Amino acid sequence: MIRKIIHIDEEKCNGCGACAAACHEGAIAMVEGKARLTREDYCDGLGDCLPTCPTGAITFDEREAPAYDHAAVLAAKQEKASLPCGCPGSQSKSIHREACEVSAAQPPAASHLSQWPIQIKLVPVNAPYFAGAKLLIAADCTAYAYGSFHNDFIRGHVTLIGCPKLDEGDYSEKLTQILAENDIKSVTVVRMEVPCCGGLENAVKQALQESGKFIPWNVVIISTDGRILDR
């Protein structure tokens, strides 16, 4: 049947996951860091997801699509309600660790933070510390999940942090300016394993492409229990 249904432009999608959270029917899922309409029969065509998209990636189409299946949506909601959580990034769990003794003579770990501010939204585009910098762009949670974050990642880097799920707007425009207008030597992205964190990686990838420069970069993925999964 021909009906009204949403369309997601993956080029514009920054992977924040806001639309997936706003879709009460569960038609949208995060796939490889991008929002995707995975169940056309779950989309009612009302567009609750549209206002939440910070990049305008979601529009309406009039096209051939399966009819909205309200009964299937209700069944999926009941199944989901029986699970411990919906979004993997907000799943509650306890992390059990063995207690380790700390010597009273052991000095506190040194901070390797070399500049302020560190929030992507707050940092000046042409701050002097960007000259010749090795840039670390990290999701907020990574420094709490990974115990040696200062020593292994912040040391020797200019650090920027953000959360694509909680911050409004898109980081790519600001990051593009920073990369294009400064002599950045390298970029390291440190993100969590949860799908919504893919928005940070995608914003950096887009900024690198739009900066017009070839800058070496790599991505490190941290698990919710503090392990390096990929680098």
Side-chain angles (χ1 to χ4, degrees), residues 183-206:
D183 180 25
I184 303 298
K185 299 300 185 185
S186 65
V187 176
T188 298
V189 179
V190 184
R191 52 161 289 193
M192 298 299 296
E193 64 177 317
V194 295
C196 54
C197 227
L200 184 65
E201 180 180 342
N202 289 329
V204 174
K205 185 183 299 184
Q206 183 177 341

Side-chain angles (χ1 to χ4, degrees), residues 119-125 170-179 207:
Q119 287 282 348
I120 297 172
K121 296 287 188 179
L122 300 179
V123 68
V125 170
D170 183 15
Y171 298 131
S172 60
E173 184 176 349
K174 178 78 169 283
L175 293 174
T176 298
Q177 288 181 282
I178 291 173
L179 297 176

Side-chain angles (χ1 to χ4, degrees), residues 109-173:
S111 171
H112 292 285
L113 191 65
S114 63
Q115 101 287 341
W116 192 265
I118 59 174
Q119 287 282 348
I120 297 172
K121 296 287 188 179
L122 300 179
V123 68
V125 170
N126 298 115
Y129 44 73
F130 283 132
K134 292 190 289 185
L135 196 59
L136 169 67
I137 303 175
D140 290 350
C141 297
T142 55
Y144 294 94
Y146 186 75
S148 299
F149 197 82
H150 272 255
N151 190 59
D152 292 357
F153 295 112
I154 293 181
R155 183 172 59 174
H157 290 79
V158 168
T159 302
L160 302 180
I161 65 169
C163 176
K165 186 166 186 175
L166 300 182
D167 288 347
E168 293 184 2
D170 183 15
Y171 298 131
S172 60
E173 184 176 349

